[in-house]
Amino acid sequence: MLQDLMKKIDENCTNVNKDLIEKAYNFECEAHKMQKRDSGEPYSVHPLQVSCILADMGMDTATIAAGLLHDVIEDTPYDYEYIENEFSAEIADLVEGVTKLGKIKYKTKEEQQADNIRKMLLAMTKDIRVILIKLADRLHNMRTLKYKSEEGQKRIAKETFDIYAPLAHRLGMSKIKWELEDLAFRYSDPEQYYDLVKKIVEKRTEREAYTEEIINELYTSLEKSNIRSEIEGRPKHLYSIYRKMHNKNKTIDQIFDLTAVRVLVETVKDCYAVLGIVHTMYKPIPGRFKDYIAMPKPNMYQSLHTTVISAKGKTFEIQIRTFEMHKTAEYGIAAHWKYKENNNSLPNTDLDKNFSWLSDIIEWQKEASDAEEFMEAFKIDLFSDEVFVFTPKGTVIDLPANATPIDFAYRIHTDVGNRCVGAKVNGKMVPLDYQLKTGQIVEVLTSNMAKGPNIDWLNIAQSNLAKSKIRAWFKKAKREENINKGKDLLEKEAKRQEANFGELAKSEELEKILKRYNMNNIDDLYAAVGVGSASSAFIVTKLREALKSNKPTELDNAALIKGAEEQINKNTTQLINKSNNSYGIEVKGLSNMLVRFAKCCNPVPGDEIMGYITKGRGISIHRKDCKNAELLAEDGDNKIVEVAWTGVKASGYITEVQITGEDRNGLLSDIMVVITESRIHLHAVNAKTSKAGFATVTIKLKIEDVDQLKELMKKIKRLPGVIQVFRTKN
C-alpha cells in the first residue's frame, strides 16, 4: 500500500519529499498500532488511503504527510508540539485544523457538530488544504461505511449529504462530490439505490453503443477541421439521475441524458469552434445552451454545455472544455491550489475572489450563537441555488436564489447596504423586494441622508450575510441612541438635584453599581437608563448619598426598581384609579388601568401588541414588532403584561406611513387622491426629495384598524413610480 502511494505521487505530484512521506507513514503506524478499524483492519490503513486520495489530487508534501497524520492528535497521546518538533509547524497546523473538538463536553450533538464546523471553517480561512484533507478523510470513511451499524450508516450518510458533498461542490471538486453523493445515497436509501442500479444496467449495452456512435461521428468531423481532441462518454452519477427523476416526477425511460459526451480540446478558441461544428451536426434544443466559459461558476467550473437531438431523434448532452478546465472541474480548489504553488506570480487574492462565500459564512456565523440556528443557516448557504448578476462596471456577483437588491448592496459593501435607498435593474427602478435573475445589471442607489436599514429588510433579504449586517446595524445604532439618551437623563437629574454628574461618577459607589448589575463600563449604565430599565433619579440619589457619607451602599435589583417606582407613586395612584380605558384594550390580570399608545410605533386594531408598565403613565401599548418593545422585553424586568384588543373601536387611531418613489410631477397629489377616495382622515404630511431622484413622503393618518391601513397601502403601491410603502417603526 505504501508502494501504491509512492506510485500515485510519481504520477500526479511534483517536488514531493518521499523520505518525509515515508517517515510520516512509519510514525502513524506506530501511533495507531494498538487500534483497529470496524472492518478489523489495522487503523493505519485509513490514513494511508486518505493520503492516496490526496496524491490523486496532486497535492504537496505537507498535505500528503498531514493526511497520514490527520488522526494522531485526536486518537493518540501525541500532541501538536510533538508533531511540530518531529515534522514542521506547517504539517502540525494542518493536522490540528482537521482535529475535532472531542475533549469538550457538549449538551447536544448539534452543539458539538456546530463547533466542529466553525473550527474547520476558521482553519480553512488560514489554509484551504485543511478541507481537502477532511474531504479525503470523509471519502474513505464513506467507502468503508458498510462495516458500521445501520443507524451509524444513516447518520453519517445524512451528514455527508448535508455538509461534505455541498462543500465539495462549492470547492469545485466534482469528482469527490459525485462519489460522496452516490455513497450517501446507497446507505441512506438502499432500496431506491439498488432499484435504480438495476434499471440502468438493463439498458447499458444499448446506451453505450449509441454513445460510441456519437463519439465516432464527432471525431471524424473534428479531424476534418484539424482540431485535436479527446472525446469520451461520461455516465451521469446515480444520485444525479435519482434527483432528476424525483424532482421532475419522471421514470428512468423518460430520462434521456443518462450519458453526456465530453469533448476536451487545447484552447478556448477550439471550444467555440467545436460548439459550431456540433450545432451543424445536430439540432440544438432552445434554452438548453449554457456558457460557463464566458461566465464561470463561483467554484471556478468552466465548460460549454449544449443539449442536442440526433438524426435518430435521441436527446443527449455535449460538454466542451479545455484540458486545463477539465482538471479544475474534477479537482476544483485542489487543482487551482497546485497551480498557485507552481506559479509565484499568481496574486494572493486569486483564491479569495473565487471563494467569497467562505468569508461571508465566517462573518455571519459570529452573530449566530445558537447551534441549531447556525447549522440550519450553514446548510442553507451550502445548498442554495445561485443567481449571477452584474455590477454596472461588468463585475459578476453571485447571490443566493431569490436574492434582492438588498442582498446585492450588502455583498458590495456594508456601507452601501446601510445607505441604500433604492435600486435599478437593467436601467429601470425596482422595489427593494424585487427578486433578481441571472444576467441582470444591478445598480444600487445610495444617499448620505439615509437613516440606515429598515427593520422590514430582515424579511426581504435572502442571504445570511445581509441579515447579519442589518441586525448589527440596529444593535449598534440603538445602543448609541440609548447611551446618549441615558447620559442626558442622568445629567438633567443631577442638575435637578443641584449636583454635577461628572463629579458623582467619580464615586466608588459607581463601580459597585456597575459590578452588581454585570455592567462592564459606564456606557452600559447610560444605555440601561436610556432604555428605561434603570432609574436616573434613584442612581443620582444613591451616588449623592455615597459621596456625602463616603460609605458604600448595598444595592440590589429590587431596590433599584423600587426606588424608581416610589418616585412616581403619587402620579401613578390617580392613573390606576381610573374606572376604565377608552382605547378598546384589555389588560390581563389587571383592572382599571389607564393605557396609552406608544408614539414610537402607533399600534392600531389588528396589530399584535404588548403592554409595558411605565413610570407614572399607566400601561404603554406597543406593537410586538416595535424595536423599543423588543428591547423592553429583553430587559426581563417583569414589567411586560399581556394585552389584547377588546373589539371596542375608538374614534380613530393615529399611525404613520412612509412612501418612497421616483421624484415625478404629481406623485404627492396622486397619493392625496387615494387617501381622499378611501375616506381616511389625513392627520399630517411631510414630503422631501433627494439628489438621487427620489421622493420620500411621510403621512400620518387616523384609521379604524389595520385592515383599512393595509388596503390603503396596497392602493398607494400601485401608483406609477412608487417603489415601496411601509409603516414606520420608531
Side-chain angles (χ1 to χ4, degrees), residues 317-334:
E317 184 185 63
I318 295 180
Q319 300 172 357
I320 308 163
R321 64 183 74 143
T322 67
F323 291 99
E324 194 64 41
M325 289 173 191
H326 182 57
K327 288 180 184 175
T328 300
E330 293 280 291
Y331 292 114
I333 186 64

Side-chain angles (χ1 to χ4, degrees), residues 391-406:
T391 67
K393 293 184 178 179
T395 304
V396 179
I397 303 292
D398 62 293
L399 296 166
N402 304 321
T404 65
I406 292 171

Side-chain angles (χ1 to χ4, degrees), residues 424-440:
K424 289 183 179 180
V425 171
N426 294 341
K428 294 182 179 180
M429 293 293 301
V430 296
L432 290 178
D433 61 357
Y434 176 85
Q435 291 187 355
L436 300 174
K437 300 174 182 64
T438 294
Q440 292 178 327

